[in-house]
Amino acid sequence: MSKKAFMIQGSSVSQVNPDFKVENKLPVGVYDIIVSRFGIHLEKVNNEFVFPYKIYGLQTDFINHVIKTYENTTGNLGVLMNGIKGTGKTVCAKILANMLQLPIIILKNIGDETSAAVDYVSTIPCDCIVFMDEFEKNFAEGNQEILQMMDGVYNSEFRKIFLLTTNELNVNDNLLGRPSRIRYVKQFGNLDKATVEEYINENLVDMSAKQDIIDFIDTLTISTIDILKSIVNEVNIHGINDFINYREFFNVTTETYSYSTYYGTVYDSDLDKNNDNKFTIENFVKQIERYRNPMPRVYFADPENPTEEEIKANNAWVEYHHNDFYAYLSGYKECANYL
């Protein structure tokens, strides 16, 4: 039997394992909240979040923006990431948590003990991250204790970073529109072209099928990395011709768009050569993507003395919108699965 040490608190003496030690602050790591007959405590599950796969579509700019805000502000900071499963929101939240180099506490709904768990986390005497995945499911009815924790009611001496993910933006109204609680709401949607191409370049066997896959991805209602992986795997197994022949059975949903006679100025490269009054379907889909993900407007910090970077960005914005199209809708045609 191993020897025991004695822990003395006031007049109370307890036997503990000899490797018992005291830390001035919670060490960096990922912690679950455990409820036992002895009460609530934390259990370290890892030093950080681990990804046993390559990450595609890393939101580097957004992550760096949040970190810079954290480093230049005081008080609590809330970040909410919203999107359906597979769009990368949880991965982004975990990478951000790792890069902040703080203790990460995973907070979930644990039934009758949830309020006690929130109270326990609220009073942890060090800066830490409170990670709440699928927030709208775990805390569907809202939680007054969580709102109070975000406001720093329990312990304002130490900072907490609240990282929330949601599949649907169906959360307490007291969170949205309140930057003091949730400063950033990041939406996750379809894969960007760079991510699609990066994955295809690294995993597609027959590269002659690359453009066909990209065109098919463009028709999807929603595209995620899991869907892209499945499509590339399907083509690697069966070849692009069989995939085209059987794509109607593939478990994805495609968009149906309408397009009509074009009225106005169109660049020659945008025209269907068989009918100069029509866009090609491919170019129509490109315009849809421009509509979904428009280039943000550029604002000068000092309009009288713009910087070279601001001028360059503004010129890019003007050029981008110079190619916008306007159409009178007539003679609708449906286009989907145009691969």
Side-chain angles (χ1 to χ4, degrees):
M1 180 180 294
S2 61
K3 293 183 179 180
K4 295 282 187 177
F6 292 96
M7 181 178 68
I8 302 174
Q9 293 178 292
S11 60
S12 176
V13 179
S14 303
Q15 292 189 70
V16 297
N17 291 325
D19 59 351
F20 177 86
K21 63 179 181 178
V22 176
E23 297 281 357
N24 292 325
K25 63 179 182 179
L26 188 64
V28 172
V30 181
Y31 297 85
D32 273 336
I33 297 176
I34 305 298
V35 179
S36 69
R37 62 191 181 93
F38 300 108
I40 296 175
H41 67 275
L42 299 177
E43 182 172 298
K44 187 174 182 180
V45 295
N46 217 326
N47 292 325
E48 63 177 7
F49 287 118
V50 177
F51 306 95
Y53 47 82
K54 179 174 178 177
I55 298 170
Y56 293 88
L58 179 60
Q59 303 288 325
T60 304
D61 291 343
F62 175 71
I63 289 172
N64 290 338
H65 185 92
V66 175
I67 293 174
K68 185 175 181 180
T69 298
Y70 169 72
E71 293 173 343
N72 291 274
T73 56
T74 59
N76 295 338
L77 176 64
V79 182
L80 190 155
M81 304 183 194
N82 179 69
I84 69 170
K85 287 182 178 296
T87 49
K89 61 184 183 302
T90 300
V91 169
C92 180
K94 289 181 175 180
I95 292 173
L96 172 57
N98 286 347
M99 293 182 67
L100 285 167
Q101 285 293 293
L102 293 171
I104 304 165
I105 301 170
I106 300 174
L107 181 59
K108 301 177 182 178
N109 187 327
I110 50 177
D112 295 339
E113 300 295 333
T114 299
S115 293
V118 173
D119 182 65
Y120 179 89
V121 173
S122 300
T123 56
I124 289 177
C126 67
D127 293 355
C128 64
I129 295 167
V130 182
F131 192 96
M132 292 177 274
D133 199 19
E134 297 190 332
F135 181 84
E136 82 281 17
K137 293 182 180 180
N138 280 292
F139 306 102
E141 302 301 322
N143 187 294
Q144 189 62 35
E145 287 86 358
I146 289 178
L147 298 180
Q148 291 177 336
M149 177 169 57
M150 288 182 169
D151 291 335
V153 171
Y154 290 94
N155 192 332
S156 59
E157 182 181 353
F158 301 101
R159 301 184 69 185
K160 288 181 173 55
I161 312 302
F162 299 97
L163 299 184
L164 289 63
T165 72
T166 54
N167 296 323
E168 297 180 4
L169 201 56
N170 181 25
V171 298
N172 193 307
D173 290 339
N174 289 315
L175 289 177
L176 300 179
R178 294 284 297 273
S180 60
R181 288 173 174 167
I182 299 296
R183 186 168 181 133
Y184 300 113
V185 178
K186 168 72 171 172
Q187 298 285 350
F188 287 76
N190 287 347
L191 295 173
D192 59 76
K193 185 177 180 180
T195 301
V196 173
E197 291 199 1
E198 180 184 4
Y199 184 82
I200 290 175
N201 290 339
E202 293 184 3
N203 297 278
L204 182 62
V205 174
D206 178 11
M207 291 304 296
S208 67
K210 175 179 176 178
Q211 190 58 49
D212 289 333
I213 294 176
I214 291 175
D215 290 343
F216 182 69
I217 290 291
D218 283 342
T219 71
L220 300 182
T221 303
I222 186 69
S223 59
T224 68
I225 192 65
D226 291 336
I227 290 175
L228 177 59
K229 287 179 179 179
S230 297
I231 290 173
V232 170
N233 179 254
E234 186 82 2
V235 173
N236 284 343
I237 294 172
H238 299 284
I240 189 61
N241 291 330
D242 275 1
F243 176 75
I244 292 173
N245 292 334
Y246 290 94
R247 68 181 182 274
E248 64 181 291
F249 306 114
F250 204 75
N251 186 25
V252 292
T253 304
T254 55
E255 288 275 24
T256 299
Y257 298 109
S258 295
Y259 77 111
S260 64
T261 301
Y262 182 83
Y263 183 86
T265 302
V266 186
Y267 293 101
D268 289 342
S269 61
D270 290 334
L271 293 176
D272 181 343
K273 300 305 180 183
N274 297 322
N275 184 342
D276 285 352
N277 291 322
K278 293 289 194 299
F279 272 119
T280 62
I281 296 175
E282 290 85 350
N283 278 298
F284 179 81
V285 173
K286 289 179 182 178
Q287 294 288 2
I288 292 296
E289 181 60 26
R290 284 159 57 83
Y291 176 79
R292 284 177 167 176
N293 300 291
M295 181 180 289
R297 185 72 169 90
V298 178
Y299 294 95
F300 299 139
D302 181 0
E304 300 298 327
N305 297 287
T307 65
E308 290 186 8
E309 289 185 358
E310 288 174 336
I311 293 173
K312 182 178 180 181
N314 185 67
N315 289 340
W317 183 87
V318 171
E319 178 65 23
Y320 178 87
H321 287 281
H322 180 64
N323 291 326
D324 280 352
F325 73 96
Y326 301 90
Y328 290 100
L329 303 180
S330 62
Y332 279 107
K333 288 192 175 184
E334 298 297 322
C335 56
N337 294 335
Y338 66 83
L339 180 62

